Amino acid sequence: MSLHLWISFVAATTVLLLIPGPTVLQCIGDALANRDRQSWSTILGVGVGDAIAMSLSLLGAGALLRTSAAAFTIMKTIGGAYLIYLGLRAIWDARNTHEPEAPSAAAAPAASAFVRFGKASTITMLNPKSILFFVAFVPQFISPQGRFFSQCAILLLTFVSLAMLNAWLYMSLAGVLNKRLQTRTAQKKVGYATGGVLFTAGTLTLALKRT
């Protein structure tokens, strides 16, 4: 793989990751709800979710989804339904957040590291934005003149590293803005935003068509 091709992939990946989506809002919400706990489990979950989705795509799952109507329908139904469920759950939780003003972490127990890891990895793995990127765009950065698996390994490590760095940056930003976002009113807004994005992502996933 040439340096120019790799830099192009880094640029495309950076733009994709910086656009707020289900994973980013999940990271922000997790940082606010678990502000007294370390964020490594959520960041690791993001990395594992992207690694699984991208590996499956590079190993041929993307081609299978393009050619098999049944496989594509099963994938998008499961993924879309799960994202919609998480979106509705986030909206419901936000709606049932009541005053007085206080950090929500004091009102509800913080999630365990395992739960946060599982939720982050699942949301990331089912993120339609990433799925489309892996299936449609990643193969364009693989040179036919180079070794396939070595190029795949480079692209995989690059994407996962950037994804985890992006998650850490957003969670750190949420931590810096903690005092402004820790009130019930602010957390309601974050909850509604997260739920709306997850619900929309799930709806778009269900509406995906094979190309």
Side-chain angles (χ1 to χ4, degrees):
M1 173 180 290
S2 66
L3 179 61
H4 174 74
L5 194 61
W6 180 78
I7 292 177
S8 299
F9 178 75
V10 170
T13 298
T14 301
V15 172
L16 174 78
L17 293 173
L18 287 177
I19 300 174
T23 298
V24 168
L25 287 180
Q26 172 61 28
C27 289
I28 294 175
D30 182 85
L32 296 176
N34 301 278
R35 63 178 61 88
D36 295 327
R37 297 192 176 192
Q38 294 182 345
S39 58
W40 65 265
S41 59
T42 301
I43 295 173
L44 183 60
V46 171
V48 170
D50 275 325
I52 293 175
M54 189 171 179
S55 296
L56 291 176
S57 175
L58 292 174
L59 289 174
L64 174 63
L65 294 176
R66 286 197 298 267
T67 58
S68 173
F72 182 84
T73 300
I74 292 173
M75 182 280 295
K76 77 169 187 176
T77 300
I78 294 176
Y82 182 71
L83 290 175
I84 289 175
Y85 161 75
L86 290 177
L88 293 175
R89 177 67 181 271
I91 293 173
W92 176 264
D93 290 342
R95 184 176 181 179
N96 286 277
T97 300
H98 302 292
E99 302 293 345
E101 294 267 324
S104 64
S112 67
F114 180 77
V115 170
R116 289 151 56 203
F117 168 83
K119 193 171 183 178
S121 60
T122 304
I123 290 176
T124 302
M125 184 170 56
L126 298 176
N127 186 351
K129 180 179 67 174
S130 298
I131 293 174
L132 289 175
F133 181 77
F134 295 148
V135 173
F137 293 101
V138 170
Q140 300 180 28
F141 295 97
I142 299 178
S143 173
Q145 286 76 33
R147 294 184 178 180
F148 177 77
F149 287 106
S150 61
Q151 293 183 86
C152 288
I154 293 173
L155 295 177
L156 178 63
L157 289 174
T158 300
F159 189 94
V160 171
S161 298
L162 291 174
M164 294 177 69
L165 175 61
N166 185 67
W168 175 77
L169 289 174
Y170 270 107
M171 295 186 77
S172 298
L173 178 61
V176 172
L177 299 176
N178 181 29
K179 292 183 178 180
R180 296 183 180 181
L181 298 176
Q182 68 180 337
T183 64
R184 295 300 180 107
T185 300
Q187 299 237 345
K188 270 191 173 184
K189 292 179 180 179
V190 173
Y192 281 130
T194 301
V197 171
L198 289 172
F199 184 87
T200 302
T203 303
L204 291 176
T205 300
L206 292 178
L208 285 176
K209 297 182 181 295
R210 288 188 302 147
T211 57

